[in-house]
Amino acid sequence: MSEPKVFLLPDLGEGLTEAELVNWLVSVGDEIRVDQPIAEVETAKSVVEVPSPYAGTVTQLHGEPGQTLDVGKPLISVLPVGATAPAPVVETVETKPAETGAADTYREEEKAGSGNVLIGYGTPGGSGAARRTRAPRAVVSASSTDDKPVVAPDAQKAADDLLLLRTRVPGKLGAVISPLVRRMAREHGVDLGDIHGSGDSGLIMRKDVEAVIHPAVEVSAGSTTERPVVEPVETQWAVDSRTGLGISSRTPVKGVRKVVSANMSRSRSEIPEATVWVDVDATALVELRAGLKKSDPHNTPGLLAFIARFVTAGLKRFPDLNTRIETAADGSQEIVGFAGINLGFAAQTDRGLMVPSIRNADKLSARELDVEIRRLTAVVRDGKATPEELGSGTFTLNNYGVFGVDGSAAIINHPEVAILGVGRIIDKPWAVEGELAVRKVTELTLTFDHRVCDGGTAAGFLRFVADAIERPTSILADI
């Protein structure tokens, strides 16, 4: 008889301490192999598939979608191939009359089978692994032939399981997933059993509970009778004491937004930043690309790829901007330089702002940079970027011109020491050889860490990139 092996959530890179469980890829009772993906977790701005280090039968899933798990805590339990499952443990639970019905309903659902898997429970008919009905330690009595007490589960975990039973919709196992939805229903006295979920397979969503808490009404003309309306309206939970306004929503800061918030706050608190900017005549670069596109419509780099090439060339001449500051335990600091450039670039996605980095970008041509920019943009928008692709940059290029703005004092992507922003390219009046002309003009903005260099270095780098944009043909011939 063998005990299941417990796989702990590993550090998925960059010293992460937690991850949000997005989706299970296996169920209790499934036979899995070594390195088979078992779950998707969101961490460091990406959705990562976690592989199993064990082969065997899944006996327990230690979490549910939407839950934040700490690194080093149990993720999944697997009974090794060929091992014998432990004998079932009989635990007597003294339930209150009001709780017995819910527990019985749950057991009937378990016998019936379901594709949805809960913590510690699974679809019957799989591996035959032992299942246990958990209850608070105080109400579990010993039941064994040798009179040795049965070790009860952790009290808090048992309480969570009872909460699941109480909020489970009869006949719809797994119809309530989000802890936020269950808490909202509990706080407002909403019976989840009376709600038909609007999500997939009857999944009860937050908006379903809010609709019960604040039902919309419509008063017909000439009548005082109120009746429900079909069209959804904005709901309010409470009135804010400071502003006197109704609170329309509460959004937990987690996942991507949590990572961005922590990183930006650290950048502002630790880095004494300064900003320099310059307007640039980009007409020659726009015309160069237009000419290349005529001769090769399908293999012409985008403008951002050309600017990225100018940036890597500029960083070679001004390497202070391609560094990082490290602080030792005794408070001493070092400026760490790199033998290469990993160029990060900001990409907007449905899950927030991502900054993937092109590794060894200084060794790539404009065409090769364009290929990597397109590839990494697609990867992050699909949520499949690795921690290495998202956390290895040494300098960031931010094209905020795509949002239709001219300039921005960007926040440095910690632990880097500088970020270059590019505004939109628009027609503006410009003096050319003493004559006023309409030119394609953009604004470059460089925000830098004043601890690693002074304004002269920052201005020199910015002027180099600006000159390259204004005279791309001659610069490309030299880099």
Side-chain angles (χ1 to χ4, degrees):
M1 183 172 62
S2 302
E3 291 292 331
K5 292 186 176 181
V6 180
F7 174 43
L8 307 181
L9 179 65
D11 180 353
L12 299 171
E14 297 297 317
L16 299 170
T17 59
E18 63 182 21
E20 180 182 341
L21 178 60
V22 176
N23 183 41
W24 284 113
L25 303 179
V26 297
S27 301
V28 171
D30 285 356
E31 298 288 339
I32 62 174
R33 63 184 184 278
V34 174
D35 290 335
Q36 176 178 335
I38 56 175
E40 290 181 328
V41 298
E42 182 179 349
T43 180
K45 300 185 180 180
S46 67
V47 175
V48 181
E49 290 185 347
V50 181
S52 172
Y54 308 125
T57 304
V58 179
T59 62
Q60 188 170 1
L61 305 177
H62 299 276
E64 59 179 313
Q67 182 179 351
T68 298
L69 307 177
D70 292 332
V71 169
K73 297 295 184 180
L75 178 64
I76 190 172
S77 296
V78 179
L79 189 67
V81 175
T84 304
V89 177
V90 179
E91 298 176 352
T92 304
V93 181
E94 298 176 8
T95 59
K96 297 179 182 179
E99 297 171 353
T100 303
D104 289 341
T105 299
Y106 178 78
R107 295 190 185 96
E108 289 303 317
E109 291 168 346
E110 187 182 26
K111 292 176 183 177
S114 168
N116 296 307
V117 180
L118 303 180
I119 305 175
Y121 300 92
T123 302
S127 65
R131 292 178 173 82
R132 303 182 180 184
T133 303
R134 292 177 169 82
R137 182 176 300 168
V139 297
V140 177
S141 60
S143 177
S144 63
T145 56
D146 57 3
D147 294 328
K148 292 182 179 180
V150 177
V151 179
D154 178 80
Q156 182 59 48
K157 179 64 173 65
D160 290 343
D161 284 344
L162 265 183
L163 178 61
L164 285 175
L165 296 182
R166 291 170 179 161
T167 58
R168 191 64 48 198
V169 177
K172 296 180 181 178
L173 187 62
V176 186
I177 291 179
S178 170
L180 176 62
V181 173
R182 292 200 301 272
R183 185 181 65 188
M184 186 192 308
R186 183 176 66 251
E187 291 177 350
H188 291 84
V190 175
D191 186 354
L192 292 171
D194 295 335
I195 299 178
H196 177 72
S198 61
D200 295 338
S201 302
L203 179 67
I204 296 178
M205 312 295 288
R206 171 176 166 177
K207 62 182 180 181
D208 300 325
V209 177
E210 288 180 335
V212 176
I213 299 171
H214 303 284
V217 295
E218 177 185 61
V219 180
S220 59
S223 172
T224 58
T225 303
E226 295 183 352
R227 65 177 183 270
V229 295
V230 177
E231 295 298 326
V233 298
E234 184 180 25
T235 61
Q236 296 182 340
W237 286 3
V239 175
D240 179 54
S241 60
R242 189 181 72 85
T243 64
L245 299 175
I247 298 174
S248 61
S249 66
R250 290 185 181 275
T251 305
V253 179
K254 62 179 183 178
V256 172
R257 183 49 52 194
K258 183 177 180 179
V259 174
V260 171
S261 176
N263 198 32
M264 296 299 99
S265 296
R266 186 175 182 183
S267 178
R268 282 294 194 191
S269 64
E270 293 185 11
I271 299 177
E273 61 186 33
T275 303
V276 291
W277 60 91
V278 63
D279 288 337
V280 181
D281 180 3
T283 305
L285 179 59
V286 173
E287 292 175 347
L288 171 64
R289 184 178 182 276
L292 292 173
K293 194 170 182 63
K294 284 184 179 180
S295 59
D296 189 0
H298 305 295
N299 194 31
T300 302
L303 291 175
L304 186 63
F306 282 109
I307 296 174
R309 185 70 188 95
F310 302 150
V311 167
T312 57
L315 290 174
K316 287 182 179 180
R317 298 196 180 195
F318 300 91
D320 289 347
L321 296 171
N322 189 54
T323 60
R324 179 178 70 224
I325 286 187
E326 291 186 354
T327 303
D330 61 0
S332 61
Q333 293 183 324
E334 288 182 332
I335 299 176
V336 180
F338 303 103
I341 300 167
N342 289 349
L343 183 63
F345 64 93
Q348 191 68 34
T349 74
D350 292 339
R351 298 172 54 249
L353 184 68
M354 307 288 188
V355 186
S357 59
I358 304 170
R359 300 175 74 88
N360 297 307
D362 52 308
K363 298 179 181 179
L364 303 181
S365 65
R367 280 195 172 91
E368 292 170 329
L369 287 168
D370 187 69
V371 170
E372 278 298 280
I373 290 172
R374 295 178 187 276
R375 181 187 72 82
L376 288 170
T377 299
V379 167
V380 296
R381 286 178 177 168
D382 289 339
K384 299 299 182 182
T386 65
E388 290 76 17
E389 289 172 326
L390 291 169
S392 61
T394 60
F395 184 95
T396 296
L397 175 62
N398 186 5
N399 178 24
Y400 44 71
V402 296
F403 301 114
V405 297
D406 299 329
S408 171
I411 299 177
I412 297 171
N413 187 22
H414 188 279
E416 298 170 15
V417 298
I419 180 172
L420 178 69
V422 182
R424 60 177 178 166
I425 299 177
I426 59 174
D427 290 341
K428 282 188 176 182
W430 195 265
V432 180
E433 297 180 354
E435 299 290 335
L436 193 63
V438 177
R439 308 289 285 181
K440 301 291 185 181
V441 178
T442 187
E443 181 181 278
L444 300 182
T445 306
L446 177 70
T447 302
F448 65 98
D449 187 335
H450 227 312
R451 295 175 299 178
V452 302
C453 68
D454 296 323
T457 299
F461 167 79
L462 187 62
R463 191 65 256 171
F464 175 88
V465 177
D467 290 344
I469 292 174
E470 292 183 342
R471 299 189 298 276
T473 304
S474 59
I475 293 294
L476 286 173
D478 296 330
I479 60 175

